[in-house]
Amino acid sequence: QVQLAESGGGLVQAGGSLRLSCAASGRTFRTYAMGWFRQAPGKEREFVATISGSGISTSYADSVKGRFTVSRDNAKNTAYLQMNSLNPEDTAVYYCAAAQSYGSQVPSQYWYWGQGTQVTVSS
């Protein structure tokens, strides 16, 4: 069992930056791939980024590639999402999630989820 808790969301102007954190419980954090997803009002939850358990491999949605960076610190049981050059289309609730294997962009492949953190980008 893994419990996840996101933090770091907030209100930012277009062009600004935020860093989200995802703190995980348990001693098996390094065995899980971590993913970031987001959900805007009236829209389906969409994939943002994922990182392998070792942190060596990463993958991004085309909409955030070059602007967002996913990372993790296994010693701190924490994953991060650095978001730069934010625009209003990035406004959503952001979720972190844990999966047994790396590479999936499908929410159903992720076993554990955080409660989400709101990111609002004003124009």
Side-chain angles (χ1 to χ4, degrees), residues 15-16 21 35 68 79-80 89-90 92-94 99 114 118:
S21 298
F68 290 11
Y80 304 96
E89 290 69 38
D90 296 315
V93 176
Y94 283 71
Q118 176 71 47

Side-chain angles (χ1 to χ4, degrees), residues 2-86:
V2 176
Q3 292 184 320
L4 304 174
E6 302 94 338
S7 61
L11 174 64
V12 64
Q13 289 188 330
S17 299
L18 282 174
R19 188 176 82 154
L20 305 183
S21 298
C22 175
S25 65
R27 293 176 289 180
T28 59
F29 177 70
R30 67 179 63 247
T31 68
Y32 290 93
M34 297 300 297
W36 288 93
F37 293 79
R38 65 186 182 186
Q39 188 166 19
K43 294 188 177 181
E44 292 188 353
R45 192 167 298 190
E46 66 171 353
F47 169 78
V48 174
T50 185
I51 185 167
S52 61
S54 65
I56 292 175
S57 300
T58 59
S59 176
Y60 298 90
D62 287 344
S63 59
V64 307
K65 202 171 293 182
R67 300 188 299 123
F68 290 11
T69 302
V70 60
S71 62
R72 65 191 298 160
D73 184 339
N74 286 340
K76 295 182 178 179
N77 276 16
T78 303
Y80 304 96
L81 185 68
Q82 177 67 44
M83 305 185 295
N84 299 328
S85 302
L86 286 162

